[in-house]
């Protein structure tokens, strides 16, 4: 909307924002009508918002806005597998270093390398999950566009059928008026 349109529709704008019931997930605008927002999400009642964090999870509208507290089982298992692999590599490195150097120096360097390897593995895992999430988002978007394309093609086909019927109806009407 430009400034002129805003000035003309100021009454409607006031009506929409006086008691907002919805917030846009995309641009964070609020409104009393969800039709005026891009991606509307209902605002939970104040009674739910005032509850302690543990009880807020029971409120359906508020639960989706709370930060996720636990990883999924699949993510947890993947992290465990990576950590186990890193520990095995560290154990192999410990054996190799034990043969070459003294035990005192060996323990200090292995603890540091083990921690670094675990951190590196966790970082790589997070990056992989992030990339998978992006791919899933792109797949959903592609499916949505494909559905829209099919819908448009169907409406075009329907329009062509109607356009073919209209001349036939007119010619039939003209012939009946002649006789």
């Amino acid at each position: 909307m430009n400034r002129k349109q805003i000035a003309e529709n100021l009454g409607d704008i006031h009506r929409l924002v006086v008691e907002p019931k919805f917030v846009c997930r995309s641009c964070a605008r609020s409104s009393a009508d969800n039709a005026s927002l891009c991606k509307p999400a209902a605002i939970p009642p104040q009674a739910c918002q005032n509850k302690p964090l543990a009880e807020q999870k029971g409120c359906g509208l508020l639960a989706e806005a709370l930060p996720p507290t636990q990883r999924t089982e699949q993510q947890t298992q993947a992290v465990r597998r990576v950590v186990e692999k890193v520990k095995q590599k560290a154990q192999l490195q410990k054996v190799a270093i034990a043969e070459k150097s003294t035990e005192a120096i060996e323990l200090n360097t292995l603890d540091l390398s083990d921690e670094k390897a675990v951190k590196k593995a966790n970082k790589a895992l997070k990056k992989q999950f992030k990339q998978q999430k992006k791919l899933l988002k792109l797949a959903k978007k592609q499916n949505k566009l494909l559905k829209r394309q099919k819908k448009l093609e169907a409406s075009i086909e329907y329009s062509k059928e109607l356009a073919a019927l209209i001349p036939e109806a007119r010619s039939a009407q003209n012939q009946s008026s002649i006789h």
Side-chain angles (χ1 to χ4, degrees):
M1 293 180 89
N2 61 27
R3 291 180 189 177
K4 187 176 180 181
Q5 290 172 329
I6 291 172
E8 290 173 356
N9 298 320
L10 206 52
D12 291 335
I13 294 171
H14 287 299
R15 180 185 54 79
L16 286 171
V17 297
V18 73
E19 289 183 27
K21 293 182 179 127
F22 299 93
V23 66
C24 179
R25 293 174 190 233
S26 178
C27 60
R29 291 182 298 137
S30 61
S31 175
D33 183 21
N34 66 347
S36 61
L37 300 173
C38 329
K39 294 183 179 180
I43 297 175
Q46 192 65 35
C48 283
Q49 294 179 22
N50 293 338
K51 291 181 181 178
L53 190 62
E55 294 178 18
Q56 286 181 358
K57 292 178 183 176
C59 183
L61 295 174
L62 204 55
E64 68 183 26
L66 293 175
T69 55
Q70 296 179 352
R71 292 182 175 176
T72 64
E73 187 63 32
Q74 184 181 15
Q75 289 175 332
T76 307
Q77 289 175 355
V79 169
R80 285 183 191 147
R81 278 187 252 125
V82 170
V83 169
E84 288 300 319
K85 286 180 182 178
V86 169
K87 285 182 180 179
Q88 288 174 357
K89 284 184 180 180
Q91 288 292 3
L92 292 175
Q93 288 176 355
K94 283 182 184 179
V95 172
I97 293 174
E99 294 171 358
K100 295 179 182 177
S101 65
T102 64
E103 291 184 28
I105 297 172
E106 180 183 324
L107 291 175
N108 291 337
T109 57
L110 287 178
D111 289 342
L112 291 176
S113 67
D114 189 27
E115 287 179 27
K116 287 180 183 177
V118 170
K119 284 184 180 180
K120 211 175 207 182
N122 278 336
K123 188 174 181 180
L125 186 64
K126 282 183 182 179
K127 189 173 183 179
Q128 184 181 5
F129 279 125
K130 191 174 183 180
Q131 289 173 345
Q132 287 177 347
K133 193 174 178 182
K134 282 184 181 180
L135 286 173
L136 184 64
K137 185 178 178 181
L138 285 173
K140 285 182 180 179
K141 189 173 184 178
Q142 186 177 9
N143 283 338
K144 185 178 178 181
L145 290 173
L146 184 62
K147 284 182 182 178
R148 187 181 293 166
Q149 180 182 0
K150 286 180 181 178
K151 186 177 177 182
L152 288 172
E153 287 174 352
S155 67
I156 289 172
E157 193 65 35
Y158 180 72
S159 298
K160 286 181 181 178
E161 290 174 6
L162 284 179
L165 290 176
I166 291 174
E168 291 175 9
R170 285 186 181 166
S171 65
Q173 185 180 21
N174 287 341
Q175 289 177 354
S176 64
S177 62
I178 294 174
H179 295 288

